[in-house]
C-alpha cells in the first residue's frame, strides 16, 4: 500500500488526505487512543451507538459519528480538518496520524469499513480520530451487539499516564510504538 492507496481509500469515505502528520507536535499515539476510552472518568465523554440489527444502522451510525465529532470539536465547520489513524504501508506495525479534510459526500461507517481504512467491514468501524489541537479523540468501534462512536478529551490524569508508562516499558510491544509513547509522555514531565 502506498500513500496514493491510502489517499484513495480515505477519499472513498469522504476524507481528503492532506499529508502525514509532521512530528512538529507531540500528539497522543494512535494506539493509545483505543485505551483512553476505557477510563470512565475522562471529562468530555460522549457516546453514540446503534444496534447491529437496526435496519437503519448505516444512517444512524453516520449521524451519530457526525454529531459526536462536530459537537465535540473534532473539527470546525469552517475548516473540517482533523487527524485519522492510518497505516502508511501494508506491513507497518505502528499506525500514524494522517491529516484529512471532511468532504461531501461522506460515509464514515459504511465505506470506511468496506475500504478497510476505518474498520473491518461495512458498518463494522474501528478507527481513531484526533482534533488538530490534539485535545479531542473520537473512536469508532464494533462491540458484540452494537457499533458506535465515543468521544473523549485526551486524558492527562495520573492513572492514564501511569498506564501508558507501563505499556512503554513492555518489551512485548513493538519498539516503534514504545518509543512513540515515551516521546508523548515527555510532554508531561
Amino acid at each position: 500500500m502506498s500513500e496514493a492507496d491510502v489517499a484513495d481509500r480515505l477519499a472513498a469515505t469522504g476524507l481528503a488526505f492532506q499529508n502525514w502528520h509532521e512530528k512538529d507536535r507531540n500528539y497522543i499515539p494512535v494506539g493509545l487512543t483505543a485505551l483512553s476510552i476505557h477510563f470512565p472518568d475522562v471529562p468530555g465523554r460522549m457516546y453514540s451507538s446503534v444496534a447491529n440489527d437496526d435496519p437503519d444502522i448505516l444512517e444512524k451510525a453516520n449521524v451519530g459519528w457526525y454529531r459526536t465529532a462536530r459537537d465535540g470539536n473534532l473539527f470546525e465547520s469552517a475548516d473540517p480538518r482533523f487527524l485519522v489513524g492510518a497505516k502508511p504501508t501494508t506491513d507497518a506495525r505502528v499506525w500514524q496520524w494522517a491529516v484529512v479534510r471532511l468532504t461531501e459526500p461522506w460515509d464514515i461507517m459504511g465505506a470506511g469499513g468496506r475500504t478497510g481504512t476505518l474498520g473491518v467491514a461495512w458498518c463494522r468501524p474501528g478507527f481513531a480520530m484526533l482534533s488538530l489541537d490534539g485535545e479531542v479523540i473520537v473512536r469508532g468501534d464494533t462491540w458484540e451487539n452494537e457499533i458506535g462512536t465515543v468521544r473523549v478529551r485526551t486524558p492527562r490524569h495520573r492513572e492514564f499516564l501511569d498506564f501508558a508508562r507501563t505499556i512503554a516499558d513492555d518489551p512485548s510491544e513493538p519498539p516503534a510504538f514504545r518509543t512513540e509513547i515515551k516521546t508523548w509522555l515527555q510532554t508531561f514531565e
Side-chain angles (χ1 to χ4, degrees):
M1 182 168 32
S2 66
E3 185 174 296
D5 293 329
V6 172
D8 288 346
R9 288 177 180 210
L10 287 170
T13 71
L15 300 177
F17 177 82
Q18 307 288 289
N19 56 13
W20 292 106
H21 153 63
E22 297 294 325
K23 297 294 182 185
D24 59 338
R25 183 168 178 114
N26 193 12
Y27 290 117
I28 185 172
V30 177
L32 279 182
T33 63
L35 305 173
S36 68
I37 65 172
H38 298 292
F39 286 86
D41 296 330
V42 176
R45 183 183 195 90
M46 183 177 178
Y47 176 75
S48 171
S49 68
V50 182
N52 288 338
D53 59 358
D54 189 311
D56 298 320
I57 189 172
L58 177 62
E59 180 183 345
K60 289 179 180 178
N62 270 330
V63 167
W65 169 81
Y66 187 77
R67 187 181 61 247
T68 301
R70 184 200 61 217
D71 294 352
N73 298 317
L74 178 67
F75 55 82
E76 299 175 15
S77 297
D79 182 14
R81 290 181 307 137
F82 55 94
L83 303 167
V84 65
K87 281 186 152 185
T89 62
T90 305
D91 59 344
R93 295 199 63 201
V94 177
W95 293 59
Q96 294 182 13
W97 290 117
V99 180
V100 297
R101 182 176 40 80
L102 185 64
T103 62
E104 293 286 339
W106 53 265
D107 180 9
I108 301 302
M109 296 298 198
R114 190 172 45 248
T115 64
T117 55
L118 304 177
V120 296
W122 181 87
C123 283
R124 295 297 174 257
F127 57 79
M129 297 173 175
L130 185 69
S131 60
L132 290 177
D133 66 5
E135 296 298 316
V136 177
I137 297 168
V138 173
R139 288 281 307 174
D141 218 333
T142 300
W143 300 285
E144 186 175 341
N145 298 315
E146 61 187 3
I147 66 169
T149 309
V150 179
R151 182 205 67 221
V152 296
R153 299 281 174 204
T154 300
R156 292 180 173 80
H157 51 80
R158 186 181 54 78
E159 293 85 0
F160 185 76
L161 297 176
D162 288 347
F163 184 66
R165 284 183 191 94
T166 300
I167 295 170
D169 292 336
D170 183 348
S172 68
E173 295 292 341
F177 183 45
R178 293 172 58 202
T179 300
E180 227 185 345
I181 294 171
K182 289 176 184 177
T183 301
W184 179 69
L185 286 169
Q186 288 174 358
T187 305
F188 306 101
E189 296 173 358

